[in-house]
Amino acid sequence: MQSFRTELENPVVEKDIIDLEKKIRDFREGKIHEEKFRSLRLARGVYGQRQPGVQMVRIKLPFGKVTFKQLLRIADVSDEYGSGNLHLTTRQDIQIHYVSLDRTPQLWQELERDDVTIREACGNTVRNVTSSPDSGINPNELFDVSPYAHAFFTYFLRNPICQEMGRKIKFSFSSDEKDTAYSYIHDLGFIPKINEKGERGFKVMLGGGLGAQPFLASFVHDFLPEDQIIPYAESVLRVFDRYGERTNRNKARLKYLVQKLGLEELLRLIDEERIANKSKSYPIDRDAVPLPEPPALLEYPHLEVIDTLDYQHWRATNVVEQKQKGFYGVYVKVPVGDIKTDRARKLVEGISPYVADEIRITQNQGLLLKFVREGALPSLYLALKALDFATPGFDSIGDVTTCPGTDTCNLGISNSMSLSVALEEVIYEEFPELIYDKEIKIKISGCMNSCGQHGLAHIGFHGSSVKANGKVVPAVQVMLGGGTVGDGIGRVAERVIKAPSKRATSVLRTILNDYAGNGAASESFHHYYDRQGKDYFYQLLKPLADLTNLKDEEYVDWGHEEIFNTAIGVGECAGVVIDLVATLLLEAGEKLDWARASYAAGAWSDAIYHTYAVFVNSAKAMLLDKGVSSSTQIGVIREFDTNYVETGEIKLKGTFNELVLQINKNEPSEEFAAAYLNEVENFYKQLTAKREEKI
């Protein structure tokens, strides 16, 4: 594998890409342990697939915003390096599949030509910052949250405090109290507010998450001023980095730290950390994300299509008025979130005369087009219809959200994408009137980890399996009663029953028919579910869970022809931390170089955090040399005192705890950065000398 030079003007990005290429070479030559390399590539958006030898590359698109030029660039990259398909995700990203690991640096370089990154799209980092897709055009919004989401993206990208956390962190910004960005299932969720003085701020939710064990976020601020949201998030990340679990990845999310410490103690630690923040106040540039220019006004012909039922259904379900008078937003339903690259190019060509040059990817894997003039709607409809993108019922019960499942994911148990298509067919063919029902949401995940957000669905399914007649049968866990209530309040769906996957369509029919027959007039699905109770639905669906009458085809999963088997790989969502003494000391030395470089550049806060990481990494290495491990950074600090300082093996002026935790007792000044760096230089020399003595 030959090294290459980039042709990018941004030296920071260029360094990232060259570093990735070097790490791949070192891995191929056996210089980097496989597990360590995995964590390195994940933080660069490169994720292992179910299929051996190829990668999924996740493209990080802050709050789902993509221009025509960027979408065309992504399509070109997918053709050159991937499978010619674009997969839209529930975090408003785009994924490319079947990419050779060795070609990922070139792929990244090509994306960056149009300011598109893959940095920190995966791994133990701050993942893509999401927002309501209609931010900026929503008639009910107090203000546009896009600049705030953008500020989070730029502030935390490459930020030392969140490069090697115990697990990922997710932020969201909703446009209004409808909470369409799901604040209640995020590590930090923000809902815009304006106080009695007319000042902007946010209601803040903390510690939510889905996964196999969902937690609803806790309300922590009713009004946090806009200049305080980034300092607050920085304090949260610092505490999570220090106290969060690092050994058991199943317990390593922020929600479990809330559970372990208690909300009151966690909030105390967050407040204590504020002195160390790089920014005590961070004014948001409200003009950082300007609204796109509306398309030129054209002479729009009168088209007879407006008299058709199909157009009227589309107009009623996929088109919304913007707060900008005379303009409309148009939603595009994208089945299973997949767009082939040739269709993506035709889409841009077809819509560009009628819409602004900004597309938003939605949380339910669709698209939002903006600034469409009313007279242009029929022409836009025909352009979309020609590409099969004019299906009505966007965000209705007939618009099913799904993860890739066994198509590409290592953790997938069942084929969620084919099941999604089958469920949508049930709605459109048997319950067509429900395309107007935007209350009930159906969501599917291929496993329990909730990438398809089944945990917040009114009707959810996740992949599973059951045994019958000595064979394994593909199954779905049926989840009911979840969803958004509003203003930070949400509901987690309850596990009701397991049924063979091929009966999921019958499960859906049974629930909808019962709702139609036994739901009161105008009764919401949530009220209907609560009134009837979980056991009612268990009994209702129990006949469909009966395994004594299985048919041959029910041993085969959706979209497959072969008999089902649960071939589950190793998940990579959280990255992997390697615990080898030599590697950890080497990493500590690398971080020491980063600390020196940051100090030389006048980045005192970054230098201080890199210095802190040197202390922790090198101490962890020496503890492992004694067979002592700890699952948190604070645990490493305490164990080092017990095993090295108190025994006299390492000489310090005080305790290691006092030495290291100066970080949250001091302002990030030049003076403190210099003193702290000097102390870690001496500490690192002492540890490496001791290690060399043993060798």
Side-chain angles (χ1 to χ4, degrees), residues 146 159 226 236 264 315 349 394 400 408 525 545 568 665:
S146 303
N159 194 312
E226 62 177 340
V236 170
E264 185 177 346
R315 179 75 167 75
E349 181 182 3
F394 178 87
V400 178
T408 54
F525 188 87
I568 305 172
K665 306 293 189 299

Side-chain angles (χ1 to χ4, degrees), residues 398 400 418-431 505 508-509 558:
V400 178
S418 295
L419 173 57
S420 169
V421 173
L423 294 177
E424 288 192 0
E425 287 177 356
V426 170
I427 299 298
Y428 280 89
E429 293 176 9
E430 301 175 34
F431 302 89
T505 48
L508 179 60
R509 289 188 190 95
W558 291 98

Side-chain angles (χ1 to χ4, degrees), residues 101-393:
L101 174 64
D102 294 335
R103 301 189 74 197
T104 52
Q106 293 92 333
L107 176 152
W108 189 357
Q109 175 182 244
E110 290 305 309
L111 289 173
E112 288 284 359
R113 294 185 191 281
D114 284 308
D115 199 26
V116 176
T117 191
I118 61 176
R119 172 87 192 216
E120 296 162 48
C122 306
N124 301 326
T125 61
V126 172
R127 297 294 185 86
N128 198 30
V129 182
T130 61
S131 82
S132 298
D134 63 356
S135 56
I137 67 168
N138 181 346
N140 299 315
E141 68 184 13
L142 297 175
F143 52 86
D144 184 2
V145 299
S146 303
Y148 301 86
H150 177 76
F152 265 62
F153 163 69
T154 56
Y155 190 86
F156 291 112
L157 189 72
R158 299 183 179 88
N159 194 312
I161 68 172
C162 50
Q163 296 306 297
E164 294 180 333
M165 298 181 292
R167 285 279 318 254
K168 58 194 172 186
I169 285 283
K170 296 179 178 179
F171 299 139
S172 77
F173 287 84
S174 287
S175 284
D176 60 22
E177 292 184 355
K178 290 182 180 178
D179 201 9
T180 54
Y182 312 129
S183 68
Y184 59 94
I185 52 94
H186 280 80
D187 295 291
L188 276 177
F190 298 90
I191 302 171
K193 301 291 178 182
I194 291 179
N195 67 11
E196 62 280 359
K197 297 178 182 178
E199 298 166 329
R200 292 185 181 186
F202 290 86
K203 182 176 185 176
V204 183
M205 309 299 296
L206 179 143
L210 288 176
Q213 188 177 357
F215 283 64
L216 294 175
S218 300
F219 159 70
V220 291
H221 283 284
D222 59 355
F223 184 85
L224 186 64
E226 62 177 340
D227 70 317
Q228 290 300 307
I229 58 174
I230 280 182
Y232 187 77
E234 181 173 348
S235 294
V236 170
L237 291 176
R238 286 171 174 270
V239 171
F240 178 60
D241 196 33
R242 187 167 305 133
Y243 289 87
E245 173 68 33
R246 288 174 178 270
T247 301
N248 181 359
R249 65 181 293 272
N250 295 319
K251 296 288 184 181
R253 293 294 302 274
L254 180 63
K255 61 187 180 183
Y256 293 109
L257 190 58
V258 177
Q259 183 184 58
K260 177 183 176 181
L261 298 179
L263 182 61
E264 185 177 346
E265 172 63 8
L266 182 65
L267 294 179
R268 185 191 70 79
L269 291 170
I270 291 168
D271 187 62
E272 182 181 82
E273 201 68 29
R274 290 176 65 85
I275 190 173
N277 283 349
K278 181 188 297 186
S279 304
K280 304 302 184 292
S281 168
Y282 193 89
I284 305 297
D285 179 1
R286 298 180 181 181
D287 300 319
V289 186
L291 288 171
E293 289 292 325
L297 180 62
L298 304 174
E299 289 289 333
Y300 303 112
H302 174 78
L303 298 172
E304 293 182 1
V305 70
I306 63 173
D307 298 320
T308 66
L309 196 58
D310 283 349
Y311 175 81
Q312 291 165 12
H313 284 320
W314 173 83
R315 179 75 167 75
T317 60
N318 292 31
V319 179
V320 294
E321 280 193 69
Q322 295 185 189
K323 68 180 184 181
Q324 294 82 9
K325 189 175 180 180
F327 291 102
Y328 293 80
V330 174
Y331 287 100
V332 178
K333 185 178 179 299
V334 180
V336 302
D338 278 353
I339 306 177
K340 293 295 183 184
T341 51
D342 59 335
R343 288 181 78 206
R345 293 187 186 91
K346 291 176 182 175
L347 176 67
V348 170
E349 181 182 3
I351 67 175
S352 56
Y354 313 113
V355 310
D357 186 5
E358 180 190 301
I359 298 172
R360 294 283 182 102
I361 297 168
T362 68
Q363 280 85 346
N364 63 339
Q365 302 169 292
L367 302 172
L368 171 59
L369 314 178
K370 297 181 176 183
F371 286 94
V372 184
R373 301 177 195 276
E374 185 169 18
L377 286 170
S379 297
L380 177 61
Y381 169 77
L382 290 177
L384 292 171
K385 186 176 177 62
L387 297 170
D388 200 22
F389 276 137
T391 303

Side-chain angles (χ1 to χ4, degrees), residues 36-84:
K36 177 59 186 174
F37 177 69
R38 184 181 301 173
S39 67
L40 289 169
R41 64 171 166 77
L42 283 169
R44 278 82 178 164
V46 182
Y47 190 102
Q49 277 188 211
R50 190 180 191 89
Q51 296 78 9
V54 290
Q55 315 293 316
M56 176 270 282
V57 172
R58 182 176 294 144
I59 297 167
K60 195 171 191 176
L61 298 170
F63 48 96
K65 176 177 173 288
V66 63
T67 65
F68 295 159
K69 188 178 181 183
Q70 287 173 327
L71 186 60
L72 293 174
R73 171 70 67 180
I74 294 168
D76 289 345
V77 165
S78 180
D79 280 344
E80 174 64 26
Y81 299 95
S83 61

Side-chain angles (χ1 to χ4, degrees), residues 90 363-365 399-403 420 424 442-445 451-453:
T90 55
Q363 280 85 346
N364 63 339
Q365 302 169 292
D399 193 359
V400 178
T401 302
T402 177
C403 71
S420 169
E424 288 192 0
I442 301 175
K443 298 178 184 291
I444 311 172
S445 301
C451 294
Q453 300 177 333

Side-chain angles (χ1 to χ4, degrees), residues 493-550:
E494 293 186 304
R495 291 178 173 85
V496 174
I497 199 168
K498 278 187 183 181
S501 292
K502 286 291 180 70
R503 298 180 186 176
T505 48
S506 296
V507 167
L508 179 60
R509 289 188 190 95
T510 301
I511 293 170
L512 294 180
N513 284 328
D514 191 82
Y515 181 38
N518 296 315
S522 303
E523 184 177 29
S524 72
F525 188 87
H526 282 159
H527 190 274
Y528 155 71
Y529 178 77
D530 292 342
R531 177 171 58 81
Q532 300 286 36
K534 176 180 174 179
D535 187 63
Y536 172 87
F537 291 94
Y538 175 82
Q539 298 299 333
L540 178 69
L541 300 174
K542 191 175 179 180
L544 294 172
D546 183 3
L547 302 180
T548 63
N549 56 359
L550 285 167

